[in-house]
Amino acid sequence: MRSTFTGIEISKRALFTQQAALTTTGHNISNANTAGYSRQVVNMVASRPLEYPGMMRSNVPGQMGQGVEFTSITRIREKFLDDQFRNENKQFGNYSIQSDTLDKLQAIVNEPTDTGIRSVMDKFWKSWTDLAKDPENVSGRKLVRENANALADAFNATSKQLSDLSNDLTSNIDVKANQINSLTTTISSLNNEIFRIEGLGDDANDLRDQRDLLTDQLSKIVNISVVETPQGYTINMGNTNLVTGQTTTAVTPATLATAMNSGDLNSGEVYGMILSRDRYVTDYQQQLDTLANSIANGQVQITIPAGSVIPDGSVLMVPTNNPTGPAYTPVTYSGPIANRTLASDLTVMVPGINGLHKLGYTFATPAAKGVDFFTAKTGATVTAATFQLNPVIANDPNYIATSMRTTGTAPNETAVKGNNTLALLISQLKDSKFTFNNGGTTNGAPSIMNGTLDDYFRSIVGQLGVRAQTASRQTDNQKALVDQIEDRRQSVSGVSLDEEMSNMIKFQHAYGAASRFMTTFDQVLDKLINSTGVVGR
């Protein structure tokens, strides 16, 4: 005989299953805008059917179906897309940091503008040209002094901005190290929770979503590889382990720098920060130092006109015209004026504006040769940070030398105040070719060993512009690639409100039908129990 109450059990299972489906649909709809959420589905299967009972196999055809039940609630996720996303996300993090740093460098260099270093340099050389027109003019000397101070301020300010940018990147690396440790600690905790919950037979879908979201965030900071084991995620940065199950390995800025040197750290935001600091910022700091030092002391060839009087005791580097020997040989000029007066034009190599300025005379009595025009605030080497106008000249512009002619005899030798030879030679340094000692550094500095100061500075600006443009293009391309993969991932795992509304109506009707089915069996049983066997009473 068939079981009387089978229909009640079937309808009950249907109600429970459809209710679970409706609840899951509501959970999906609620989290439609939750970052990292993966839509969940209820996996329904037909309950195991029963044969009719009997001593022997029943002859009743078919099996008695037992309705529906759900075996699990699972999230829709595709591991292949997750791996692709994390692999491309690390490059996006790297390029975005590089692009941001180069944009800041462009703002610091601030070229071409009317307020950048190049404009200040042009004004400095022009002030020497103006002074050459009237070398005895006190206002012209003060103008040279003020433009020299402005040039020093420009170098100092730019150098400080570069140093601040470098320090800012270092601070951000510290912040990122702490963020990595926070993420890995949370991931290891989620590994533990997921292991515990799923060990009881349940699916930790929401916890898995949280773990994947944190892993995605970590993939932008450093390059990682993710392997899922029974104990949870194992996350490595190259050969450096970050997470294994419930244990983590803390990182520091020092360990991150070591990992970069070993190749374990090869992309991500931290890689971009270290690269930007140690390559880009350092390169432009070195090039700016080279430019400042070259103005003050860079080797430059000049031609001193005939009739010029070389200061007593001066040593000039004169060409040897010997192809197999040294290019220049030192020649000392000393003694009476006649011994120090050039009979013809003389081409010599001098160490920048300082060396040239010391070949002229101030208006002091007796005649005194010029001093170093630019000096270092601290140390012996002139850099962009230490570049300054000689305090002696800053306090008294009369120490600016313009003349290369003297009259009289020692000790009453006096400078010819109206002579402008030195002022003209200094103004011509703008178009003279210098030798740049650090012009060909392997860190990426311009490969200019000889050229004008403008050529060198233009190479700095041009190289920066190309680098910034390249980094911006790479960032845009990488972002488009990451967005494309994320769109594909969302098409698989994301919540579609239209689809969920359709499912909700479907499950609602199924639940209503199951309820009606139970009501029908209730009526059948009521008739069977309360109405059967009462005939004839």
Side-chain angles (χ1 to χ4, degrees):
M1 179 179 176
R2 299 173 186 269
S3 173
T4 305
F5 295 95
T6 299
I8 294 293
E9 180 64 24
I10 291 175
S11 61
K12 183 198 75 171
R13 290 175 177 172
L15 287 172
F16 287 172
T17 300
Q18 302 306 325
Q19 185 180 34
L22 278 170
T23 302
T24 302
T25 300
H27 184 54
N28 288 340
I29 293 173
S30 300
N31 289 280
N33 297 314
T34 301
Y37 180 79
S38 303
R39 66 187 178 95
Q40 300 177 15
V41 296
V42 175
N43 299 311
M44 304 180 188
V45 295
S47 299
R48 184 173 181 178
L50 297 177
E51 291 189 3
Y52 288 103
M55 295 296 295
M56 299 177 63
R57 184 182 184 280
S58 172
N59 291 324
V60 177
Q63 294 177 316
M64 177 63 72
Q66 296 300 301
V68 67
E69 59 186 15
F70 64 97
T71 57
S72 62
I73 301 176
T74 57
R75 62 181 191 147
I76 305 300
R77 194 88 179 189
E78 190 171 332
K79 184 178 182 303
F80 172 73
L81 292 177
D82 286 340
D83 291 340
Q84 267 198 324
F85 178 85
R86 291 162 189 161
N87 191 51
E88 299 300 337
N89 201 31
K90 64 183 181 183
Q91 294 294 350
F92 174 62
N94 171 27
Y95 291 141
S96 62
I97 292 295
Q98 290 189 43
S99 179
D100 179 68
T101 302
L102 289 167
D103 285 343
K104 291 178 180 177
L105 283 172
Q106 286 193 110
I108 291 173
V109 174
N110 195 29
E111 292 291 345
T113 62
D114 294 334
T115 57
I117 290 179
R118 186 175 180 181
S119 175
V120 178
M121 288 173 58
D122 288 342
K123 291 178 181 177
F124 173 70
W125 300 122
K126 184 178 184 301
S127 66
W128 275 102
T129 302
D130 294 339
L131 180 60
K133 297 175 181 177
D134 187 2
E136 298 183 64
N137 191 314
V138 177
S139 297
R141 291 172 175 273
K142 290 183 178 181
L143 188 61
V144 169
R145 180 185 64 179
E146 296 309 315
N147 279 290
N149 280 323
L151 181 60
D153 290 341
F155 275 116
N156 297 161
T158 304
S159 180
K160 184 179 184 304
Q161 288 175 318
L162 290 174
S163 297
D164 290 344
L165 179 57
S166 180
N167 294 334
D168 183 52
L169 288 169
T170 300
S171 299
N172 285 338
I173 293 171
D174 294 339
V175 172
K176 288 300 177 181
N178 293 331
Q179 188 176 353
I180 291 171
N181 293 333
S182 176
L183 289 172
T184 54
T185 300
T186 307
I187 290 172
S188 67
S189 298
L190 289 171
N191 279 343
N192 182 37
E193 287 296 309
I194 293 170
F195 178 76
R196 182 182 62 83
I197 292 172
E198 295 188 348
L200 300 175
D202 296 325
D203 291 322
N205 295 322
D206 295 324
L207 293 180
R208 281 180 170 271
D209 284 342
Q210 293 177 29
R211 184 176 65 180
D212 283 332
L213 178 61
L214 295 176
T215 305
D216 289 345
Q217 293 173 359
L218 183 61
S219 71
K220 188 177 182 181
I221 302 174
V222 293
N223 55 287
I224 58 173
S225 59
V226 182
V227 178
E228 185 170 7
T229 66
Q231 287 72 37
Y233 279 175
T234 296
I235 301 177
N236 294 319
M237 179 181 67
N239 294 322
T240 303
N241 179 258
L242 299 178
V243 179
T244 300
Q246 301 171 28
T247 62
T248 62
T249 302
V251 299
T252 64
T255 58
L256 290 172
T258 302
M260 182 169 176
N261 292 332
S262 66
D264 287 345
L265 176 61
N266 52 45
S267 56
E269 291 179 333
V270 174
Y271 176 85
M273 290 175 183
I274 297 176
L275 179 69
S276 297
R277 181 193 64 187
D278 296 345
R279 182 181 179 186
Y280 296 146
V281 179
T282 300
D283 272 358
Y284 291 111
Q285 183 72 71
Q286 290 176 349
Q287 293 176 60
L288 196 66
D289 289 344
T290 298
L291 179 61
N293 186 266
S294 295
I295 292 174
N297 301 306
Q299 295 296 317
V300 58
Q301 183 173 280
I302 63 167
T303 299
I304 303 176
S308 299
V309 180
I310 307 301
D312 189 24
S314 298
V315 179
L316 297 183
M317 300 301 293
V318 180
T320 61
N321 298 320
N322 184 358
T324 60
Y328 294 88
T329 185
V331 176
T332 302
Y333 289 81
S334 60
I337 293 180
N339 294 347
R340 295 181 281 117
T341 302
L342 299 181
S344 60
D345 293 352
L346 178 64
T347 298
V348 296
M349 183 70 75
V350 297
I353 192 174
N354 286 345
L356 182 55
H357 190 254
K358 287 189 289 187
L359 294 181
Y361 300 92
T362 65
F363 289 167
T365 303
K369 71 175 184 178
V371 296
D372 284 335
F373 197 84
F374 290 113
T375 59
K377 294 179 182 178
T378 57
T381 303
V382 175
T383 65
T386 64
F387 188 85
Q388 69 169 0
L389 176 64
N390 192 325
V392 173
I393 298 176
N395 293 331
D396 187 356
N398 286 320
Y399 281 95
I400 297 176
T402 55
S403 175
M404 294 191 77
R405 297 282 184 95
T406 61
T407 60
T409 58
N412 298 316
E413 185 177 354
T414 59
V416 177
K417 296 182 178 181
N419 181 260
N420 65 350
T421 302
L422 184 63
L424 283 174
L425 289 176
I426 292 179
S427 68
Q428 292 168 4
L429 290 180
K430 178 180 185 296
D431 300 315
S432 301
K433 290 188 177 182
F434 284 72
T435 298
F436 303 104
N437 295 331
N438 298 329
T441 60
T442 57
N443 287 335
S447 56
I448 293 181
M449 298 301 295
N450 295 281
T452 67
L453 297 171
D454 280 348
D455 289 340
Y456 190 83
F457 190 67
R458 274 197 299 267
S459 71
I460 297 176
V461 176
Q463 181 192 51
L464 178 58
V466 172
R467 280 178 168 176
Q469 186 180 38
T470 301
S472 177
R473 183 181 68 253
Q474 289 173 327
T475 302
D476 292 341
N477 292 343
Q478 198 65 30
K479 185 178 187 304
L481 188 56
V482 170
D483 290 343
Q484 181 185 32
I485 296 173
E486 178 62 15
D487 290 342
R488 291 173 58 194
R489 192 163 65 164
Q490 286 299 316
S491 69
V492 175
S493 303
V495 175
S496 169
L497 291 178
D498 291 338
E499 181 182 0
E500 296 302 326
M501 292 296 292
S502 175
N503 288 339
M504 184 172 63
I505 294 172
K506 179 175 64 176
F507 298 142
Q508 178 189 11
H509 283 300
Y511 186 87
S515 301
R516 182 61 183 166
F517 179 58
M518 179 170 281
T519 300
T520 300
F521 254 85
D522 181 58
Q523 292 174 350
V524 170
L525 292 175
D526 178 66
K527 176 62 71 175
L528 176 64
I529 295 170
N530 296 318
S531 301
T532 301
V534 297
V535 177
R537 289 184 181 180

